[in-house]
Amino acid sequence: YGLSDEARCFIDEGKSVDEFRKIAIEKISARNAKPMQSQKPASDLGLSDNEKREYSFMRALNALASKDWKGAELERECSEEIEKRLGRTAMGVFVPLDVQNQRDFDGSTAAKGGALIGTELKSESFIELLRNRLVVKQAGATVLSGLVGNVDIPKATGGLNTYWVPRNGALSTESEASTGKISLTPKTIGVFTDIGRGLLKQASIGVEQYVRKLLAEDIALGIDKAALAGATGGDNPVGVLYTSGVNVVALGANGDVPTHEKIVELESKVAAANADIGNLVYITNAAGRGKLKTTKIDAGSGLMLWQNGMNGEGMLNGYRAIASNQVPGNLTKGGHETPNLSAIIFGNWSDLIIGEWGILDLNVDTSVNSLAGGIRVIALQDVDIALRRAESFAVIKDMITA
């Protein structure tokens, strides 16, 4: 792939194949992307620290709602510059990557944003919504950000054949490696929330951060869940659980309680494909973790399958294990008609690629709450997800946890 100089450097420095693979993916993907100004994503405008602080989601939303951009010139100029770079028009306003941070509320009650109005805002004491734990990036997924256009990543699908050479003879048979590619194409994920007139006009700076955080977190959770369990046949990316070629370990005709042997089989399936390298992690949900914590490895040792757990993590079969309710616990199988079977996924998570086109498109709908003077805020983001190798993952889809 024209990376021989980089490869020699990595060899000389004693770095791993997995470390080199990440660099190779980024460089190869960059070749497929359109040239970007200053080699940065089109939505990264290089704003100064002062401009980043000055930029306001709320000003942009008010301007979109009123169609009056007086006072929101910075927000409009940023969006227009991104439109120029991308060659396409925003549905509402493009938000620069520089200022993007990581439901409904109208200010009438504390639960709907009222707690954010006033001059005595204690933003450090804000009570967060209990959400699922983001897990895929935490497990080591490869993220390609700032993409422009569709991206093809080449991959080897077969190695060279070797031949024994006769004494004083020569090779007579040519051997060719087979190659393929992984394609990433933008798929759009969106979220909306309603903001009442009172909050829109009166809220302190806390609302600015609140709106940014909620929109960003909801989109991040949606991407994370799609990477794990995105279904086939829709507009969403396909997740690990439903990707063709991923190894499947069955517990029983109607599901069953996991055993040490079955947990080890997940590892063995990946190892049999020579894919047991990189960021090897088990992931399940909270119910699955609970069952694994109370299931013995064997009759004599007294040890449980899930060990040394804290803050949602532990060890399973000698590997790092993470629990998140992003992993489905409503699966069915055979005669187990009640949808409460859980999944376990094991694999090299660096072989899961998340492509991010890096542009948050904000728009408002003033018709939904027009009588009350409120607006509906709509946020859209383009992403895609793919596995470099399906055989790097093995899954259980029929774990009984109750």
Side-chain angles (χ1 to χ4, degrees):
Y1 303 119
L3 298 173
S4 57
D5 290 341
E6 290 87 345
R8 291 190 192 96
C9 180
F10 269 64
I11 292 170
D12 292 342
E13 295 177 3
K15 294 184 178 179
S16 69
V17 172
D18 200 53
E19 288 177 301
F20 178 73
R21 182 181 294 115
K22 289 184 178 181
I23 297 297
I25 289 174
E26 293 173 1
K27 288 183 175 290
I28 292 166
S29 300
R31 295 174 189 168
N32 289 277
K34 295 178 181 177
M36 294 178 285
Q37 184 171 342
S38 302
Q39 302 300 310
K40 294 189 298 185
S43 58
D44 185 347
L45 301 182
L47 299 179
S48 67
D49 290 342
N50 186 55
E51 288 171 327
K52 292 175 188 177
R53 287 191 295 269
E54 179 67 19
Y55 190 98
S56 169
F57 272 45
M58 301 306 291
R59 275 205 305 270
L61 296 177
N62 272 301
L64 284 169
S66 65
K67 297 181 173 56
D68 181 3
W69 288 88
K70 185 178 180 180
E73 290 83 3
L74 172 63
E75 291 74 17
R76 187 173 192 176
E77 288 173 9
C78 288
S79 183
E80 289 176 347
E81 177 60 26
I82 296 172
E83 287 179 339
K84 189 187 305 179
R85 294 184 183 189
L86 293 177
R88 63 186 178 93
T89 303
M91 291 182 60
V93 58
F94 283 141
V95 178
L97 190 62
D98 315 51
V99 298
Q100 289 181 32
N101 293 328
Q102 304 246 157
R103 221 133 179 83
D104 291 356
F105 49 96
D106 61 14
S108 59
T109 66
K112 292 193 171 186
L116 300 174
I117 298 175
T119 59
E120 297 294 328
L121 176 71
K122 301 295 185 182
S123 57
E124 70 279 4
S125 301
F126 180 73
I127 301 171
E128 294 285 356
L129 178 67
L130 294 175
R131 297 175 180 271
N132 291 341
R133 178 191 300 268
L134 290 167
V135 68
V136 173
K137 291 182 181 180
Q138 183 183 348
T142 300
V143 180
L144 303 179
S145 59
L147 301 179
V148 177
N150 297 338
V151 175
D152 289 332
I153 301 173
K155 60 176 288 188
T157 57
L160 299 174
N161 294 318
T162 58
Y163 304 93
W164 290 100
V165 181
R167 186 179 180 83
N168 299 323
L171 275 174
S172 59
T173 305
E174 181 182 1
S175 180
E176 294 183 358
S178 55
T179 59
K181 67 179 182 179
I182 298 169
S183 296
L184 297 174
T185 56
K187 296 176 177 62
T188 304
I189 184 171
V191 64
F192 69 82
T193 188
D194 293 343
I195 300 180
R197 179 177 179 275
L199 191 65
L200 191 65
K201 301 298 182 184
Q202 300 177 33
S204 71
I205 194 171
V207 167
E208 173 77 21
Q209 301 304 320
Y210 184 51
V211 172
R212 292 192 194 194
K213 195 168 188 292
L214 278 184
L215 295 176
E217 284 187 353
D218 282 343
I219 288 177
L221 282 166
I223 296 169
D224 189 76
K225 194 163 191 174
L228 294 166
T232 58
D235 296 323
N236 54 276
V238 178
V240 177
L241 285 178
Y242 301 108
T243 296
S244 176
V246 166
N247 302 289
V248 178
V249 174
L251 297 183
N254 301 316
D256 207 342
V257 174
T259 64
H260 179 59
E261 288 76 16
K262 290 296 184 179
I263 297 299
V264 172
E265 188 176 343
L266 290 171
E267 175 197 11
S268 299
K269 291 278 189 183
V270 173
N274 297 318
D276 55 336
I277 55 176
N279 296 315
L280 296 167
V281 180
Y282 285 92
I283 298 178
T284 188
N285 55 33
R289 177 184 59 192
K291 177 56 67 175
L292 294 166
K293 278 187 172 184
T294 56
T295 301
K296 292 182 178 180
I297 291 178
D298 53 41
S301 69
L303 297 175
M304 303 299 173
L305 291 174
W306 186 289
Q307 300 176 28
N308 305 323
M310 61 181 299
N311 298 324
E313 293 197 21
M315 298 295 292
L316 188 59
N317 184 32
Y319 294 94
R320 182 183 173 206
I322 307 174
S324 169
N325 288 326
Q326 293 283 81
V327 177
N330 60 348
L331 304 174
T332 61
K333 183 180 183 182
H336 201 103
E337 297 178 358
T338 304
N340 61 358
L341 298 177
S342 291
I344 306 175
I345 307 173
F346 175 76
N348 172 18
W349 291 92
S350 58
D351 272 354
L352 186 147
I353 299 172
I354 301 175
E356 299 178 340
W357 277 258
I359 306 156
L360 185 64
D361 193 347
L362 277 185
N363 201 2
V364 299
D365 184 346
T366 58
S367 63
V368 178
N369 301 308
S370 58
L371 294 179
I375 64 170
R376 173 162 292 175
V377 182
I378 304 156
L380 302 173
Q381 173 76 50
D382 290 337
V383 300
D384 199 10
I385 297 163
L387 301 186
R388 291 186 63 250
R389 293 179 298 221
E391 57 269 33
S392 293
F393 294 87
V395 302
I396 287 173
K397 302 182 186 180
D398 57 351
M399 175 172 56
I400 294 177
T401 59

